Amino acid sequence: MTGRRRLGLIAASATLLSAAPLSAIFDTWTWLMESLLTVILIAGAAVAARTLRFPTWAQTLAMVVALVLALTWIFPSGREILIPQPATFSHFADLIRQAGEDTRSYGVPVPDREGLLFVAVLGIGAVAIVVDLLTAVFRRPALAGLPMLAIYSIPVAVYLDSVPVFPFIIGAAGYLWLLVADNVDRVRRFGRRFTGDGRDVDVWEPSPLASAGRRLGVVGVLVAVLLPLAVPTVSGGLLSQLTQSGGGVGPGNGGTGNGRINLFAALSGQLNQNATVNLINVRTNEKEPFYLRFGVADVLNADGVGHTPPRGGPLGESLANPAEQGTTDRATFTQYQAQVEVTDSLRQNMLPVYSYPADVQGLKGNWQFDTGQQVAYSGRSTTGGQQYSFAYSRARYSAAQLRTAEPLAEDDPLLRQYTAAPADDTVQRRVADLTEDESTDYDKVRAIYDSFSSAEGFRYSQSTQTDGSASEIAAFLTNKVGYCQQYAAAMTWMVRASGIPARVAFGFTRGTAQQDGSYQITNRNAHAWTEVYFDGFGWVPFDATPAANVEGAARSSWAPDVERPEPEASASTGAAAPGTDSSAAPGRAERPELANDGSESSVESGTVQEESSWTPLLIAGGIALLIALLLVPALRRALVRRRRHAATVGAPVTISSGTGGAVSDIVVTTESARAREDAHAAWDELIDTMVDFRVPVDPTETPRVTAQRLVKDNLLTGGPADGAALLGRAEERARYARQPMQGAELTSALRDVRAGLAGTATFRTKARATLLPPSVLLNWRLSLTEQSTRAAEAMTRLRDAAARFSPRRLLSRAR
């Protein structure tokens, strides 16, 4: 195989390795299998084109055709037969549009959405073509790092904090492999290796230039990794990942994860709550606060409700009195104050606040505010470790007031945006049955809300039930099993189907009241609920999830607990309306949720203990494993030396011989054959010792000349000099004399020579000879080279056999 074809295959492999960071984006490995098939087809087309000696433009065209064919076969439109048709490219355009919508609806890790998979495979295939051309055609492999880096930039742009480091290491290894392969191919064109000082280097001797290059590479990598850890202004790097414990809120389900909240309310799924982690401590002068809120989902599709990225101006300039916004002119408001402390376990770019915040103080970083979504967000800053205070306004209204809200005009843009929903017969029939006798928007919403009760068969469960024969929404409305995401998404869909604007809100329930008057919020308080828009009142919350199964749940007069008698007042208002009482927990004390909300996982003393972390043990285990791996060469060298020393001891050999059934032991003393083996073993140990202490070895010299040079160059005297001379004479007689030297103390001579070399060597040389013996590394390198040569020869024989194979011979024999 020529150099260019070999480089093309290595370029394809390096491209796949550089795509490793995408593993942090996708939930499964489907993208890798599809990308692997695509890159294999592209590499095969490139090898075939170069074998046929096509020009550069033809090679490029062949790879592009292979990419298009791979995409056609992996993502078919259903109208093509092997080759793409015009409908195929229309299908590709639809997949790209779908990917754009999915990027706004999903958070990492994303499921196997066809549009996202198509864009990933298309991008990796395009990078594979560019890397191949830069490496094999233009011979500029260093520039190939730019498109490979473009793949890594995707998780960098998506993740709020530091990107996982191990996929980056895999990608970097692929890039280094590409550079090494290109340089090896270039060196092969020049013939023999050289040192730079004018002499050649034998195959068994490591090149000083190569050693210098490796040292520079190691130093560069260490500086690149360790320097950011030493800079005190850098946070969220490798050091913080290894030392921090706990996690943030997971993908919208209350579980712990990487600190990022996935703003997608799925209509199916599973809720995992293994550990309990403190996230927020909030203090407010509102008697019974409602939920902290940080995001909304407003894009409804067949799988659930995704979110549109917020857009707004600076936080301080975008906050306004709710009455001044013109959408809540019929509601009355009471203002309160809140102080929030967020732990490092919650690191996201959306700020937990109560509805209608104002005058935020103490917040670090640059934050913006979307007045439509009522969401405070940041491009790069996170909530981890933040301490801030803010004023907020709590809306007060009753069910009777909400009944007076008029429907929005048909041309209202808010109506068009928040009533868009996929067509589903099950939803339409159920909504029609529930709202048939209702005349006002509120009564329609209330009828839908009341239907999510145990009387209607609904029950709370941490996993949904689907049979695959119906849509997700139809399955939920039929099986009636799920958790907050399903309840919120299903109610949003049904409210939209009735022609009323609705969306899903994400945040935290009020948490557990503490003795000092604050509320402790954990990952188990992560929650989703529905918000419905009423003209003149704005977005009004409705929590359809069964309150008994939600820690820190709150209910209101317009959306009471359907499992209890309907209350007469709002629980989410800071001060109840005149003549009304709170409905959050009838018959309870003033702080009913004190010490827990009565849910399944109660916490003693109202406090949640941090989960014990295995991180220190994992770090210690990793360090121990690293030390063990570093000591492998030293252990190997010690075992080899011990075996050779044992071989030089003249132990008697016992053999058995018997005649007539009698067995007798015959002791054989030192013989010439054993003496030769002893001398060879001692000489091999001397050569390895010289390599360890960086003493040049010339295989063309006789043993006696080598021993004399060793004594002269290293200024050996006394015992070490005598030992070296003895070892040289023993090896020389073992090679050339009829009778080898017998009875010599070769083991003692080896110890003397090693001690003499250690006495004249530098500390660095002695440390390397002990910890990383060059002789062991050289033997491993030669062994690897030999195995690679054998494998290459086997592949050559196989290729030659395949080339000689002719089907015509089989046909002629059959005749």
Side-chain angles (χ1 to χ4, degrees):
M1 182 178 292
T2 63
R4 291 185 183 273
R5 281 179 285 178
R6 185 185 302 107
L7 287 177
L9 295 178
I10 294 176
S13 302
T15 301
L16 288 174
L17 293 177
S18 69
L22 292 184
S23 60
I25 301 297
F26 288 94
D27 195 25
T28 67
W29 295 98
T30 304
W31 69 273
L32 180 58
M33 297 298 101
E34 296 175 347
S35 300
L36 177 62
L37 176 60
T38 302
V39 173
I40 289 176
L41 291 176
I42 294 173
V47 171
R50 292 181 183 120
T51 302
L52 298 175
R53 299 184 181 278
F54 284 179
T56 301
W57 67 267
Q59 297 177 26
T60 306
L61 180 61
M63 289 187 287
V64 172
V65 170
L67 174 60
V68 174
L69 288 176
L71 294 175
T72 303
W73 298 339
I74 298 174
F75 305 97
S77 65
R79 300 181 182 179
E80 59 276 315
I81 303 177
L82 295 181
I83 61 175
Q85 304 294 327
T88 304
F89 296 100
S90 299
H91 177 59
F92 290 170
D94 293 337
L95 290 178
I96 294 177
R97 284 193 293 269
Q98 178 186 335
E101 296 175 358
D102 291 341
T103 55
R104 295 189 295 269
S105 302
Y106 291 89
V108 292
V110 298
D112 287 338
R113 300 284 294 174
E114 191 174 21
L116 295 174
L117 291 173
F118 174 81
V119 171
V121 175
L122 174 62
I124 293 175
V127 170
I129 295 175
V130 175
V131 171
D132 182 274
L133 293 175
L134 290 174
T135 303
V137 177
F138 301 108
R139 303 306 296 268
R140 295 291 185 270
L143 294 179
L146 294 178
M148 296 168 69
L149 188 62
I151 299 179
Y152 182 70
S153 66
I154 297 176
V156 170
V158 172
Y159 271 75
L160 298 177
D161 300 302
S162 57
V163 180
V165 64
F166 294 107
F168 173 75
I169 293 177
I170 296 176
Y175 179 58
L176 293 177
W177 182 21
L178 191 65
L179 296 178
V180 170
D182 178 76
N183 280 275
V184 168
D185 184 73
R186 292 177 184 272
V187 170
R188 285 176 177 173
R189 301 171 183 268
F190 295 109
R192 303 189 65 182
R193 303 159 67 206
F194 64 95
T195 64
D197 57 2
R199 69 181 183 89
D200 294 331
V201 180
D202 290 305
V203 66
W204 55 268
E205 184 180 355
S207 170
L209 289 181
S211 301
R214 286 192 293 269
R215 288 194 295 270
L216 289 175
V218 170
V219 171
V221 171
L222 291 177
V223 170
V225 173
L226 297 178
L227 183 60
L229 303 181
V231 178
T233 57
V234 176
S235 61
L238 176 62
L239 184 62
S240 61
Q241 288 189 19
L242 293 177
T243 55
Q244 67 187 6
S245 62
V249 175
N253 57 12
T256 59
N258 60 3
R260 181 184 176 90
I261 303 258
N262 184 0
L263 298 184
F264 185 83
L267 287 162
S268 64
Q270 184 174 0
L271 180 64
N272 297 317
Q273 291 186 346
N274 298 323
T276 302
V277 181
N278 289 333
L279 300 179
I280 301 173
N281 183 273
V282 59
R283 186 185 302 273
T284 175
N285 58 352
E286 186 178 7
K287 182 180 179 182
E288 292 178 354
F290 195 61
Y291 300 158
L292 276 176
R293 183 178 177 280
F294 57 75
V296 297
D298 50 11
V299 180
L300 181 60
N301 56 45
D303 297 325
V305 190
H307 86 292
T308 302
R311 296 179 178 85
L315 181 63
E317 301 175 4
S318 303
L319 298 177
N321 190 300
E324 299 175 358
Q325 299 178 7
T327 58
T328 55
D329 51 349
R330 301 182 61 185
T332 58
F333 293 88
T334 305
Q335 194 171 68
Y336 300 96
Q337 296 287 333
Q339 296 84 37
V340 177
E341 296 181 9
V342 184
T343 69
D344 288 332
S345 298
L346 179 65
R347 292 174 296 149
Q348 60 178 33
N349 67 337
M350 291 186 169
L351 192 70
V353 291
Y354 291 117
S355 298
Y356 302 111
D359 192 23
V360 180
Q361 301 291 334
L363 192 62
K364 299 177 182 178
N366 296 321
W367 295 80
Q368 290 77 39
F369 188 77
D370 187 323
T371 56
Q373 296 185 9
Q374 287 289 301
V375 168
Y377 66 96
S378 175
R380 296 301 296 178
S381 300
T382 67
T383 56
Q386 295 273 13
Q387 297 184 15
Y388 55 95
S389 62
F390 61 94
Y392 65 96
S393 300
R394 178 70 65 203
R396 296 200 303 168
Y397 27 68
S398 63
Q401 290 175 312
L402 294 176
R403 285 190 176 93
T404 63
E406 296 291 335
L408 294 177
E410 294 184 358
D411 59 348
D412 194 308
L414 190 145
L415 181 69
R416 292 195 301 268
Q417 178 181 357
Y418 291 100
T419 57
D424 190 283
D425 294 338
T426 302
V427 176
Q428 295 296 337
R429 287 195 300 270
R430 184 167 180 82
V431 170
D433 293 340
L434 292 173
T435 62
E436 181 179 6
D437 299 327
E438 309 299 342
S439 57
T440 68
D441 283 356
Y442 171 76
D443 289 326
K444 293 178 181 179
V445 174
R446 181 63 185 273
I448 296 172
Y449 172 81
D450 291 344
S451 68
F452 293 99
S453 64
S454 59
E456 296 290 335
F458 283 89
R459 62 185 179 87
Y460 185 90
S461 175
Q462 293 186 354
S463 62
T464 58
Q465 298 177 2
T466 58
D467 53 13
S469 59
S471 63
E472 300 286 359
I473 181 65
F476 175 71
L477 295 178
T478 301
N479 299 319
K480 301 180 179 181
V481 173
Y483 50 96
C484 64
Q485 288 189 26
Q486 287 76 54
Y487 281 93
M491 181 175 176
T492 299
W493 193 324
M494 296 174 68
V495 171
R496 288 191 176 193
S498 67
I500 303 172
R503 65 189 183 187
V504 175
F506 293 94
F508 299 97
T509 59
R510 66 176 63 175
T512 302
Q514 307 296 292
Q515 298 295 339
D516 61 355
S518 64
Y519 290 89
Q520 184 66 59
I521 295 175
T522 72
N523 57 321
R524 296 181 182 271
N525 295 115
H527 195 48
W529 63 95
T530 302
E531 291 183 342
V532 181
Y533 188 85
F534 293 98
D535 189 25
F537 297 94
W539 292 99
V540 179
F542 287 81
D543 188 359
T545 308
N549 300 101
V550 179
E551 296 188 27
R555 290 298 183 265
S556 56
S557 61
W558 63 86
D561 188 348
V562 295
E563 307 299 334
R564 294 177 178 175
E566 184 172 345
E568 299 179 355
S570 169
S572 74
T573 59
T580 62
D581 298 320
S582 170
S583 65
R588 291 195 181 187
E590 184 175 284
R591 300 295 289 270
E593 71 285 359
L594 184 64
N596 205 284
D597 201 40
S599 60
E600 297 177 359
S601 57
S602 61
V603 185
E604 296 181 0
S605 304
T607 338
V608 179
Q609 300 296 329
E610 291 288 350
E611 177 192 11
S612 59
S613 174
W614 289 88
T615 302
L617 293 179
L618 292 177
I619 295 176
I623 294 175
L625 178 61
L626 179 61
I627 294 175
L629 292 176
L630 293 176
L631 291 178
V632 168
L635 179 62
R636 171 64 178 171
R637 184 71 178 93
L639 293 177
V640 171
R641 184 184 304 116
R642 182 177 181 181
R643 175 173 55 81
R644 289 169 175 169
H645 284 182
T648 60
V649 178
V653 180
T654 302
I655 62 174
S656 298
S657 174
T659 58
V663 179
S664 61
D665 293 337
I666 302 176
V667 178
V668 181
T669 58
T670 305
E671 298 176 348
S672 60
R674 179 62 181 270
R676 293 183 193 276
E677 294 177 0
D678 294 347
H680 293 329
W683 185 254
D684 291 339
E685 176 62 22
L686 177 64
I687 293 299
D688 284 351
T689 302
M690 294 172 64
V691 173
D692 289 341
F693 286 93
R694 307 184 67 83
V695 178
V697 178
D698 188 352
T700 63
E701 294 177 340
T702 64
R704 180 174 299 185
V705 173
T706 299
Q708 292 174 352
R709 182 171 55 83
L710 174 63
V711 172
K712 179 180 179 181
D713 292 347
N714 293 274
L715 304 179
L716 299 181
T717 58
D722 295 339
L726 176 62
L727 292 171
R729 290 195 304 272
E731 176 64 12
E732 191 172 49
R733 291 187 59 177
R735 291 184 186 181
Y736 312 119
R738 177 174 299 179
Q739 291 294 330
M741 182 181 295
Q742 300 181 15
E745 293 292 337
L746 302 183
T747 302
S748 300
L750 286 171
R751 293 195 182 99
D752 291 341
V753 173
R754 186 174 183 86
L757 291 176
T760 59
T762 62
F763 174 79
R764 178 181 175 184
T765 302
K766 289 188 291 185
R768 185 174 182 183
T770 303
L771 300 178
L772 291 174
S775 61
V776 174
L777 302 181
L778 176 61
N779 290 333
W780 285 351
R781 185 162 59 246
L782 294 177
S783 176
L784 180 61
T785 303
E786 181 180 359
Q787 295 297 330
S788 300
T789 303
R790 291 178 180 178
E793 291 175 351
M795 292 298 297
T796 301
R797 290 193 297 269
L798 181 61
R799 183 185 61 187
D800 294 341
R804 290 193 300 268
F805 175 76
S806 175
R808 295 181 180 178
R809 297 179 181 178
L810 298 178
L811 294 177
S812 61
R813 292 178 182 177
R815 294 177 182 176

